[in-house]
Amino acid sequence: MSEPDRTSASELPPARDPWEGDPRLAEFFGDAWAQVERFHRMLVDEGELRGLIGPREVERLWERHLLNSAAVVPFLPESGLVVDVGSGAGLPGIVVAAMRPGASVVLVEPMERRTAWLADVVQATGLQNVEVRRARAQELDGAVEADAVTARAVASLDKLFRWTVPLVREGGRVVALKGSRAADELTAAAPVMRKLRLTDGAVHRAPTIEGVEATYVVTAVRGGAPRVR
Ligand SMILES: C[S@@+](CC[C@H](N)C(=O)[O-])C[C@H]1O[C@@H](n2cnc3c(N)ncnc32)[C@H](O)[C@@H]1O
């Protein structure tokens, strides 16, 4: 009888990211390519070591993380202030900053280890439009007035709205990257939206490159047009 294979998953060499070397990436990211590529390289080299991503994420960084983050960009203004709440490893905030060079981007993250990483990424990529703030979103009530607040994988929509609406200017937007259950979450958040005067809640299918699974983006506007009685 042959010996069972005792090689654990963590001992196996990482599988190759199928997007590695694909010329469509540079085409898609355009002027942001050098910075996004540098960020990707840092995540490959240090992401797991610094506890930012799981071991199996390295081989799917492009599709699941970087392209997924880029899906939010068309919903954001070209200029003004964009705040990314719960940036973690820099998703989507670093990708947003690279693809929206005319906007100022504030990355809000409470964990010191992660803000240290974000500062390293900003320095290595040379991004000039990013500020890293170590804080919980709730602590910035009144301290920022964003044109848009983004978030990915931070909290359910009702909680996220409660945390982020105080950071958005009147008429500004919450722009959340969500999975396929986005519509259900938006329905469940209706009472909170009314209370916070969030209007025009919508779920958008947000594709990036053909062949990449499209993600969903939820948008809602603070205030909006006054209701006519
Ligand atoms: C699951 S991670 C997602 C990170 C990143 N957005 C991504 O998509 O990979 C959630 C992040 O939200 C941060 N976080 C948790 N509570 C927060 C709060 N109240 N305000 C801001 N960030 C928060 C955590 O520290 C963590 O980095």
Side-chain angles (χ1 to χ4, degrees), residues 29 32-48 52-53 58 61-62 65-67 69-70 84 87-99 107 114 117-127 152:
F29 284 104
W33 173 238
Q35 288 158 329
V36 174
E37 192 185 29
R38 182 80 181 92
F39 178 38
H40 171 262
R41 180 43 51 200
M42 286 182 80
L43 284 168
V44 170
D45 292 344
E46 303 174 53
E48 190 191 344
L52 295 150
I53 53 169
V58 176
L61 274 172
W62 282 117
H65 299 287
L66 296 157
L67 287 168
S69 291
D84 182 39
S87 294
L91 301 161
I94 292 290
V95 177
V96 166
M99 296 180 82
L107 310 181
R114 294 180 183 160
W117 158 263
L118 291 169
D120 289 351
V121 172
V122 170
Q123 196 184 29
T125 54
L127 283 165
R152 188 185 91 137

Side-chain angles (χ1 to χ4, degrees), residues 85-88 91 109-111 114 135-138 152-154 163:
V85 161
S87 294
L91 301 161
E109 169 55 50
M111 282 187 65
R114 294 180 183 160
R136 294 185 309 138
Q138 306 90 307
R152 188 185 91 137
V154 176
W163 289 357

Side-chain angles (χ1 to χ4, degrees), residues 51-133:
L52 295 150
I53 53 169
R56 307 300 334 165
E57 299 311 307
V58 176
E59 67 208 50
R60 47 191 180 196
L61 274 172
W62 282 117
E63 176 154 359
R64 200 177 253 225
H65 299 287
L66 296 157
L67 287 168
N68 181 273
S69 291
V72 82
V73 174
F75 300 90
L76 298 173
E78 300 267 355
S79 60
L81 178 64
V82 177
V83 174
D84 182 39
V85 161
S87 294
L91 301 161
I94 292 290
V95 177
V96 166
M99 296 180 82
R100 282 282 183 262
S104 299
V105 179
V106 175
L107 310 181
V108 177
E109 169 55 50
M111 282 187 65
E112 189 175 13
R113 190 165 47 83
R114 294 180 183 160
T115 53
W117 158 263
L118 291 169
D120 289 351
V121 172
V122 170
Q123 196 184 29
T125 54
L127 283 165
Q128 299 290 314
N129 58 337
V130 184
E131 183 193 338
V132 179
R133 298 226 9 200

